[in-house]
Structure formats: C-alpha cells, structure tokens
Amino acid sequence: GAGVSQSPRYKVAKRGQDVALRCDPISGHVSLFWYQQALGQGPEFLTYFQNEAQLDKSGLPSDRFFAERPEGSVSTLKIQRTQQEDSAVYLCASSRKPARRGGSYNEQFFGPGTRLTVL
Amino acid sequence: SQQGEEDPQALSIQEGENATMNCSYKTSINNLQWYRQNSGRGLVHLILIRSNEREKHSGRLRVTLDTSKKSSSLLITASRAADTASYFCATAVPFLAGGTSYGKLTFGQGTILTVHP
C-alpha cells in the first residue's frame, strides 16, 4: 500500500510568515510522529499523536510550533512567525499500535519530508 | 538532544568491501533500530534489534547489540554503490504519556557512507 506522504516537499517562507506542513500517514496507523532534521544532523523528536490525541509535545521548540491530527489520520504541523532557525527538513512518521504487552515497540515508517527554508 | 553517538562520522570504501558502523547510547532501551537516508529523501527502516537480542541478520546486513556496553554495530557486507547513504541508529526508549507507553526514538548524528564503484 501507499507509504507516508508529506506536502509540500519544499517550502520557502519569508521570515515572519506562517507555514503549514501536511502529513498523510499509512492507513490504519495509530501512532504519528513529527521530527525536525537540521542539516547534517539526525532527526529530533517534536511531537507524538496516538489517534487524535497529542500525547507528547515535549520536543516542540517554541510556542510558535503547533501540531494537530483532528480525525486521527492526517496531521498538520504549523509554524507561526517563522524564523531562520526554523529552516530544516520536517519528517513525519507513522507506526502501528505503540506496543504489545511484553513486546517491542514497532518500527516507524517515514515520509520523504518537507524541506523548509526561511529567508 | 541526541542520545546516540555514531562512529565513524564518514566512511569511504570500494564496492565489494564491508562497511562497519558503530553506535553508542546512554540509557536503557527497548530496542535499537537502524535507518538509511539517501540524499534528499526520508528515512528507510533497515533493521530492528530488541534489547534481549544480541545479533540479527537481514540480507547483507548484520546488527549486533551489547547492552552491557550500550553499543551496537551495523555491518554491510559486499557493499554496492547503491549503499551510498547516511545511516542512523535510533534507540527506542519507553515513554509514558497520557497513560500510554510508547517507544520514543532518539537518533544519532549518523554515519555518511560512500561506496565507490
């Protein structure tokens, strides 16, 4: 079936502009994650949804970052009043149920990312 | 902050040679995963090894895990030019949120592998 898709793939914003990044997870995947990847670095966790509930937003760098998943499928990451330091690739990932009793957490399936450049 | 540290940061080899990448981490984990990222693309999951496993194979990939040393290695045998990519280890740590435990992934900085034809 289709993998995780993200749009747009590239976004150029002027400093101060608001942006919205979309993620379509794999159908039926309960868990959805957002990551930020700076150039030359590994991805860093931003936030986690289980269905429509945002259970962990500890990685969001400031209150300018807001994420939602209102119907438990598509998610949107919104960045208000963008700054140059927000320039990065934003990755979305989804996975099946978080864990089985006594089992191991599942692998995450990543989308291609949105490369955000703030001028 | 990133839990994992990967070594080496960059590796350049000839096609047909083996490539070994190492990852160290700091806290107890549920599992450790390796991902590959080609230039300009998202991450592709390669292999997952649970904390109670010591070694795992998948095709030309061999992963080892030493929880006493908090380290893992990824071996790619008989490398190909198409293996050229960045490789990341990621540790899954139990995280309790909203009454549910989930595996929170923390990535290392990655190893850039270049395989010359």
Side-chain angles (χ1 to χ4, degrees):
Chain A
V4 178
S5 61
Q6 292 185 246
S7 62
R9 291 292 312 276
Y10 303 90
K11 177 69 179 177
V12 178
K14 293 182 179 179
R15 190 164 58 93
Q17 189 177 352
D18 297 349
V19 298
L21 313 180
R22 176 188 170 105
C23 172
D24 283 84
I26 293 173
S27 178
H29 276 193
V30 169
S31 298
L32 186 144
F33 306 81
W34 283 98
Y35 294 86
Q36 181 189 59
Q37 185 176 20
L39 189 64
Q41 301 292 316
E44 295 216 4
F45 171 84
L46 292 177
T47 188
Y48 165 64
F49 288 85
Q50 189 177 133
N51 296 307
E52 69 280 1
Q54 187 176 21
L55 298 185
D56 183 4
K57 51 182 180 179
S58 61
L60 296 177
S62 78
D63 58 8
R64 297 185 296 103
F65 286 71
F66 171 77
E68 60 182 5
R69 193 187 186 197
E71 297 178 358
S73 55
V74 171
S75 177
T76 304
L77 176 67
K78 298 179 179 178
I79 309 173
Q80 298 177 325
R81 304 181 303 282
T82 52
Q83 304 294 315
Q84 284 189 320
E85 61 263 28
D86 300 336
S87 295
V89 175
Y90 290 86
L91 296 166
C92 174
S94 69
S95 69
R96 299 190 305 269
K97 285 186 176 182
R100 293 173 289 117
R101 182 179 294 278
S104 179
Y105 297 109
N106 292 308
E107 67 189 270
Q108 296 181 20
F109 295 85
F110 282 79
T114 295
R115 181 177 297 276
L116 173 65
T117 303
V118 181
L119 302 177
Chain B
S1 62
Q2 302 195 305
Q3 164 164 233
E5 290 188 6
E6 297 188 55
D7 168 56
Q9 290 188 344
L11 181 60
S12 181
I13 60 174
Q14 294 296 127
E15 211 168 25
E17 294 179 342
N18 296 341
T20 300
M21 289 160 268
N22 302 295
C23 169
S24 61
Y25 57 92
K26 298 173 185 172
T27 65
S28 296
I29 61 173
N30 175 275
N31 67 58
L32 186 144
Q33 303 173 30
W34 285 89
Y35 288 81
R36 181 186 71 217
Q37 186 175 42
N38 295 96
S39 178
R41 297 187 185 179
L43 290 122
V44 174
H45 182 267
L46 296 176
I47 195 165
L48 180 155
I49 186 166
R50 295 183 172 86
S51 59
N52 61 355
E53 296 176 313
R54 292 296 168 259
E55 187 171 313
K56 202 162 183 179
H57 297 254
S58 176
R60 293 184 295 111
L61 306 179
R62 172 178 169 255
V63 170
T64 62
L65 179 65
D66 187 335
T67 53
S68 66
K69 295 182 179 177
K70 291 186 168 58
S71 67
S72 174
S73 68
L74 171 68
L75 168 68
I76 304 174
T77 60
S79 63
R80 306 166 182 167
D83 295 329
T84 295
S86 293
Y87 291 80
F88 295 91
C89 70
T91 52
V93 176
F95 192 87
L96 190 63
T100 298
S101 173
Y102 78 95
K104 189 167 187 173
L105 282 188
T106 303
F107 286 83
Q109 291 187 326
T111 293
I112 301 172
L113 173 65
T114 304
V115 182
H116 300 281

